[in-house]
Amino acid sequence: MQIVDIHHVSRRFGSVQALRDVSLSLSAGTIGLVGNNGAGKSTLLKVLLGLLAPDAGGGTILGCDIRHGSRELRSRVGYMPEAAAIVPMLRGVEFVAFAGDLYGMPHRDAKRRAHEVLNYVGLGELRYRRLEEYSTGNLQRLKLAAALVHDPQLLLLDEPTNGLDPAGRAAMLELLEDLIAETGKSVFLCTHLLGDVERLCRQIVVLDRGTVARAGTMQEMRAEVNNRFELSWTGDAAVFRTTLTAAGVEFADPADQGQAKVMVVVPSGFSTGTFFELARASGTVLTHLKADEENLERLFFRVTLQDDTVPEPAQGQTLPAT
Amino acid sequence: MELDQAHYHGWQGTLRSPWSACAAIVRVAIVQVLRNKAYWLVLGLGTLRFLAYWSIIYAVTQLTLPGDAHDRLLEAFGFSANSDVDQNNGYIMFMEGQNIVVMILLAFSGSLLVGADFRLKALPFYLSRRIDKRHYIVGKLLAISTVIALLTVVPALLLFLEYGMFTSSTEYWLANWRIVVSVLAFGAVLCIVNSILLVAIAAYLQRIVPITIAWASLFLLVGRLGSFLYRETDNAYWRLLDPWRDMRLVGRLCFGSFRDETDRTLAWWALAILTTLCAVALLALVHRVRAVDVVE
């Protein structure tokens, strides 16, 4: 089932083209939305929430027309904002019930449901605390409960682990994994923490300057890099480079001649054994050969910066601000 | 059967109209005001005024007072319960007095009821649900109006009921039905003007000190300026600069009870000024709410 099916969507704010000819067809499941600041993530989220109609293009989200079905759409979507977004002086259970009221749930149902979802997210014991007394981690859980109160088909989570310590982040991700596994709800995760996307999402949308740089499953994207290898050798480097080039191998960074390990891109049908044959023919010995297992960080840098020479980011590294 | 709380449960029900959310916004606003103990002092002041008027009505209708104590008591409180008395109409006096309490309460609660939505970025919480900006604005205006009505209209109507109960009951109520209409009309003016001005000011200024300063400036300093210009020029129209006095004049228009002919002439001008002021404030409020990004 397609939950997002939009075609040629564009949106401009004054002189800024926030979205440019965006087409997406995403099936139910967990979807990660990544991109630099200013890439158009917020604008796309607004379109997904039915808060913004596109200037051009159209399509459906959860079967609702993105131009005319905004209220119907929001009744099927639960949104967890990045900001604190608290209503002062309320208790946790009142806040979640209030969210239900704002969705149009009968008040009695909203109250009952608030107790249920607070138990589910692990805040059953803290439900009568004032919002001002919640820790950052518990506040994130509370906002998740408020997004779940009307039992939506799709959850839009905006930076759900932002500001959490490592233990809080792990607990939040565990809760989200459990939610996805148990309820089968579709989740749209918008975050700068690529490790979170890698852990939770099966599909990824990479936005870059208002366009979709890549969209698909992680496996599909990784398949694109099966022709990349990292290797090093001993012997005459110039001769081996010439031999590799003659065999159709391209160097990811041709300018750098002095690296201990180099990244190469091989033509189709090239097997790893060929490396050893070419090395033997050029009188060199291979000391290192490894298929490039690209993680999401490297994939992100590759598709957005079009630069293969970026260093390997550390686990949990955030995207650069632009 | 024991409820399984460890697992997720779905919900199947019918969602109501987004306008029903306005009632929830009102309910939450009342809870917010009552939870803040600092406001109890002001609410207590309003309750005390109400109880004072209640006691006067009880005293003059139920107790046998010696000599002219009855008249002197009424005169001391400037009270008359009959609609045909132009001077010292008790209900106007009561509502004007309660409006002072309302003004104090609103000056301090604007930050909590409206400013916090902008300051703590709670607006995305509202607008990402099924309601839109219209429902939010109407909900907040109704919330403030409810607070105002609870301190002005409701007690005034209770006094009307009390006077009837302690005197000739249905005869008093039927003979003075216009008082109920006047109380409701004056209450509507107070609710509309105060709520629109407060929500607009609080949406821009957000914090308690700037809101209080702006609120006091609007209703006290501008009034002082109007009085000063009136004294210097002897032109009564300068007094229309004072929005608080304008509200009182429109209130007297509702009751048809004026202190003098000048007030009668100025009342319609006051209504026009308040209408313009509210229209400008409402436009500014809509502009401010529209500028808020639900997704940042």
Side-chain angles (χ1 to χ4, degrees):
Chain A
M1 177 200 166
Q2 299 300 107
I3 55 165
V4 175
D5 191 18
I6 56 177
H7 308 286
H8 310 294
V9 166
S10 295
R11 177 71 198 201
R12 174 182 282 278
F13 297 103
S15 61
V16 178
Q17 185 76 47
L19 290 179
R20 194 193 310 266
D21 199 29
V22 169
S23 294
L24 283 173
S25 184
L26 300 168
S27 52
T30 49
I31 302 146
L33 176 64
V34 295
N36 289 316
N37 291 342
K41 300 191 300 293
S42 299
T43 308
L44 183 59
L45 276 184
K46 285 179 197 168
V47 172
L48 292 173
L49 260 174
L51 293 169
L52 198 66
D55 295 332
T60 59
I61 295 160
L62 297 170
C64 300
D65 191 314
I66 56 172
R67 287 184 170 277
H68 307 295
S70 65
R71 190 162 297 143
E72 173 65 21
L73 178 57
R74 265 179 284 161
S75 67
R76 299 188 196 179
V77 174
Y79 175 61
M80 177 182 166
E82 181 188 357
I86 62 166
V87 181
M89 313 302 288
L90 290 191
R91 301 184 195 285
V93 68
E94 292 168 341
F95 177 76
V96 178
F98 184 37
D101 291 330
L102 294 177
Y103 278 117
M105 292 172 77
H107 184 59
R108 183 186 288 260
D109 284 18
K111 275 205 298 190
R112 186 179 56 79
R113 181 84 182 139
H115 287 280
E116 281 179 17
V117 289
L118 282 171
N119 272 323
Y120 178 72
V121 301
L123 293 179
E125 300 287 319
L126 306 176
R127 70 185 110 169
Y128 293 113
R129 270 200 193 172
R130 292 265 178 94
L131 297 188
E132 293 86 343
E133 295 166 6
Y134 277 76
S135 65
T136 308
N138 287 335
L139 207 53
Q140 293 295 85
R141 286 168 178 260
L142 190 76
K143 288 193 290 181
L144 179 63
L148 278 171
V149 69
H150 64 306
D151 194 26
Q153 286 175 259
L154 172 66
L155 276 172
L156 297 183
L157 310 179
D158 197 355
E159 304 281 1
T161 57
N162 204 15
L164 301 183
D165 57 28
R169 182 177 166 225
M172 187 70 184
L173 290 176
E174 202 175 309
L175 174 63
L176 290 174
E177 277 179 331
D178 182 71
L179 175 74
I180 293 161
E182 187 173 342
T183 66
K185 288 190 185 302
S186 294
V187 173
F188 221 98
L189 179 67
C190 180
T191 180
H192 282 99
L193 294 167
L194 298 177
D196 293 359
V197 175
E198 205 155 22
R199 179 166 164 184
L200 291 176
C201 302
R202 294 181 61 194
Q203 299 172 84
I204 296 156
V205 176
V206 183
L207 280 182
D208 184 32
R209 283 159 284 191
T211 59
V212 177
R214 285 287 191 285
T217 64
M218 196 67 190
Q219 285 74 12
E220 283 170 356
M221 291 200 202
R222 282 186 175 141
E224 290 178 18
V225 292
N226 281 346
N227 58 349
R228 290 161 62 93
F229 289 88
E230 190 182 69
L231 57 116
S232 62
W233 64 88
T234 56
D236 192 332
V239 172
F240 189 49
R241 277 178 174 269
T242 308
T243 308
L244 287 172
T245 307
V249 175
E250 291 174 13
F251 287 84
D253 182 16
D256 193 344
Q257 302 287 324
Q259 286 190 113
K261 291 176 185 172
V262 295
M263 186 70 72
V264 295
V265 181
V266 300
S268 61
F270 197 97
S271 69
T272 50
T274 315
F275 279 116
F276 292 99
E277 289 167 15
L278 292 174
R280 199 179 311 116
S282 60
T284 54
V285 177
L286 281 178
T287 56
H288 175 82
L289 175 65
K290 184 186 169 198
D292 182 26
E293 290 178 1
E294 192 176 46
N295 63 13
L296 188 56
E297 279 90 352
R298 283 188 66 85
L299 172 77
F300 174 79
F301 282 116
R302 183 164 60 83
V303 299
T304 59
L305 302 180
Q306 297 297 315
D307 181 357
D308 289 321
T309 62
V310 291
E312 185 83 28
Q315 180 70 21
Q317 179 173 333
T318 58
L319 303 183
T322 53
Chain B
M1 194 178 78
E2 195 175 328
L3 178 67
D4 172 16
Q5 295 189 324
H7 295 93
Y8 184 85
H9 298 271
W11 176 74
Q12 287 177 326
T14 309
L15 296 177
R16 296 181 301 174
S17 158
W19 289 108
S20 67
C22 293
I25 294 174
V26 171
R27 190 177 58 245
V28 164
I30 302 288
V31 168
Q32 285 178 296
V33 169
L34 293 179
R35 288 250 168 94
N36 196 325
K37 291 193 172 58
Y39 302 150
W40 286 19
L41 192 68
V42 188
L43 292 171
L45 195 64
T47 310
L48 273 178
R49 286 197 79 258
F50 168 69
L51 289 176
Y53 273 78
W54 179 278
S55 306
I56 294 163
I57 290 175
Y58 181 82
V60 299
T61 55
Q62 298 295 299
L63 304 179
T64 309
L65 298 172
D68 60 348
H70 177 276
D71 293 337
R72 282 194 284 114
L73 187 61
L74 288 181
E75 196 181 340
F77 280 87
F79 187 85
S80 164
N82 295 315
S83 61
D84 56 352
V85 179
D86 280 356
Q87 298 295 323
N88 299 332
N89 183 313
Y91 298 100
I92 297 184
M93 306 294 285
F94 174 74
M95 289 180 76
E96 285 180 356
Q98 288 295 93
N99 196 34
I100 297 172
V101 179
V102 164
M103 289 301 205
I104 297 169
L105 180 64
L106 294 186
F108 293 112
S109 61
S111 165
L112 173 69
L113 296 179
V114 182
D117 292 347
F118 293 84
R119 198 175 70 250
L120 302 175
K121 298 186 175 178
L123 214 53
F125 168 77
Y126 288 91
L127 301 181
S128 61
R129 314 291 149 180
R130 215 158 136 258
I131 65 170
D132 61 28
K133 291 164 174 112
R134 283 173 309 161
H135 305 112
Y136 171 79
I137 291 173
V138 171
K140 285 292 170 183
L141 293 178
L142 283 176
I144 308 285
S145 297
T146 305
V147 173
I148 297 167
L150 285 174
L151 279 168
T152 55
V153 179
V154 174
L157 292 177
L158 286 176
L159 292 180
F160 178 77
L161 284 176
E162 185 204 9
Y163 198 90
M165 280 195 306
F166 287 154
T167 54
S168 52
S169 292
T170 49
E171 270 180 44
Y172 172 78
W173 292 332
L174 290 173
N176 295 285
W177 62 269
R178 271 201 62 210
I179 287 178
V180 176
V181 177
S182 303
V183 165
L184 291 176
F186 188 27
V189 171
L190 293 178
C191 290
I192 291 168
V193 175
N194 284 329
S195 63
I196 291 177
L197 291 181
L198 180 77
V199 176
I201 288 172
Y204 279 91
L205 300 179
Q206 299 165 19
R207 292 185 181 276
I208 189 164
V209 173
I211 292 171
T212 310
I213 291 172
W215 195 245
S217 302
L218 180 64
F219 288 104
L220 296 177
L221 287 185
V222 177
R224 294 274 179 194
L225 178 66
S227 299
F228 171 76
L229 290 169
Y230 167 63
R231 279 198 305 275
E232 293 298 313
T233 62
D234 200 27
N235 183 345
Y237 284 91
W238 282 119
R239 301 192 74 184
L240 291 170
L241 275 178
D242 182 356
W244 198 336
R245 189 168 186 279
D246 292 343
M247 276 192 279
R248 290 202 299 271
L249 283 176
V250 175
R252 293 196 169 267
L253 187 66
C254 297
F255 279 91
S257 162
F258 293 98
R259 287 203 167 102
D260 52 43
E261 272 309 302
T262 313
D263 278 2
R264 190 183 294 275
T265 314
L266 293 179
W268 289 103
W269 283 103
L271 181 63
I273 287 170
L274 288 179
T275 306
T276 310
L277 190 62
C278 287
V280 171
L282 200 55
L283 284 176
L285 173 62
V286 170
H287 183 263
R288 179 71 187 87
V289 174
R290 283 177 69 181
V292 170
D293 253 341
V294 175
V295 181
E296 293 186 331

